[in-house]
Amino acid sequence: PDYQGSGDLPQVSLTWNADTSRYEVVYTNFTEPGTYACTFYAQDNAGVMSSPVQTQVTATDAYEPDDNAAQATLFPVGDSEQHNFHSATDEDWVKFFAPTGSVFNIQATQLGTNSDLVLDLYYEQWDGTLIWVDGADDYGWGEGETESLAVDLKTGASGLLAGVYYVRVSSADTKLFGPGSEYELQIYEPTGTGGGVLLISIGGG
């Protein structure tokens, strides 16, 4: 995932394990989240090389484990995070504090073609229990689709309270995981009236 298109790709040789009667290696450099394409060759004693065999390995994102509310990671408002679904049951939870007088946009954008996201928003009550507030599953499968929610604590029209909110990101289809399931999550306060910065001038100028 971090390959920049120049230089040699990393290589490793398998060694014979008499106990398991197979060639193998323990590889620990799947450090970047994302999907790795692995190509395997075999070479006999005469130096004849086999045809390649390929498989893919999806490394978990940097925020795992975050598969339930108790494991939710604290999301810095204004930042963005890249996640993926490494298994059919994987889901990602984050939480953030929303004070009175603010509006928060929550957006999850599908970066790959193997993704169909669902957003769920929960509010944490005083006793620690979560109540479902809203959800979004407006768009389908495919790259570039964005699901979004808003937490409005400014106009008073939403009826929402200040406090800690939890966001659950899951897949609409449990078959959509692994390669191509990457997505970007953003939680931010919109600025200005049209997404820009609102400037106020005093005294002419």
Side-chain angles (χ1 to χ4, degrees), residues 153-179:
L153 299 176
K154 186 174 184 178
T155 65
S158 68
L160 299 178
L161 301 173
V164 177
Y165 285 82
Y166 287 70
V167 178
R168 172 182 178 258
V169 187
S170 59
S171 179
D173 185 343
T174 56
K175 295 189 293 294
L176 297 178
F177 68 93

Side-chain angles (χ1 to χ4, degrees), residues 42-196:
Q43 185 177 28
D44 65 17
N45 292 334
V48 178
M49 188 78 72
S50 72
S51 298
V53 175
Q54 288 191 316
T55 190
Q56 292 180 321
V57 174
T58 299
T60 60
D61 60 59
Y63 308 98
E64 293 289 349
D66 57 355
D67 298 334
N68 53 57
Q71 297 174 326
T73 58
L74 185 63
F75 195 102
V77 173
D79 284 2
S80 63
E81 296 179 355
Q82 185 170 324
H83 294 251
N84 63 29
F85 296 127
H86 63 273
S87 70
T89 59
D90 188 21
E91 55 187 51
D92 300 323
W93 287 75
V94 301
K95 60 184 177 180
F96 67 99
F97 178 73
T100 301
S102 298
V103 176
F104 297 89
N105 287 347
I106 304 163
Q107 294 183 337
T109 302
Q110 297 164 186
L111 302 179
T113 58
N114 192 35
S115 185
D116 184 3
L117 299 177
V118 178
L119 286 180
D120 287 290
L121 180 68
Y122 298 84
Y123 175 73
E124 184 179 34
Q125 300 187 102
W126 63 270
D127 61 356
T129 59
L130 300 184
I131 58 171
W132 185 85
V133 175
D134 199 1
D137 186 14
D138 299 322
Y139 302 98
W141 163 92
E143 183 178 359
E145 300 289 1
T146 299
E147 300 290 350
S148 59
L149 293 170
V151 177
D152 180 3
L153 299 176
K154 186 174 184 178
T155 65
S158 68
L160 299 178
L161 301 173
V164 177
Y165 285 82
Y166 287 70
V167 178
R168 172 182 178 258
V169 187
S170 59
S171 179
D173 185 343
T174 56
K175 295 189 293 294
L176 297 178
F177 68 93
S181 67
E182 296 80 15
Y183 68 90
E184 182 180 54
L185 181 63
Q186 295 176 291
I187 302 176
Y188 62 95
E189 294 184 70
T191 56
T193 57

Side-chain angles (χ1 to χ4, degrees), residues 5-73:
S6 61
D8 294 331
L9 289 165
Q11 300 181 31
V12 63
S13 296
L14 282 68
T15 55
W16 178 253
N17 186 332
D19 294 333
T20 59
S21 298
R22 67 183 181 191
Y23 288 91
E24 58 187 35
V25 68
V26 176
Y27 190 72
T28 59
N29 289 337
F30 296 120
T31 54
E32 287 289 325
T35 301
Y36 294 78
C38 304
T39 305
F40 297 92
Y41 296 88
Q43 185 177 28
D44 65 17
N45 292 334
V48 178
M49 188 78 72
S50 72
S51 298
V53 175
Q54 288 191 316
T55 190
Q56 292 180 321
V57 174
T58 299
T60 60
D61 60 59
Y63 308 98
E64 293 289 349
D66 57 355
D67 298 334
N68 53 57
Q71 297 174 326
T73 58

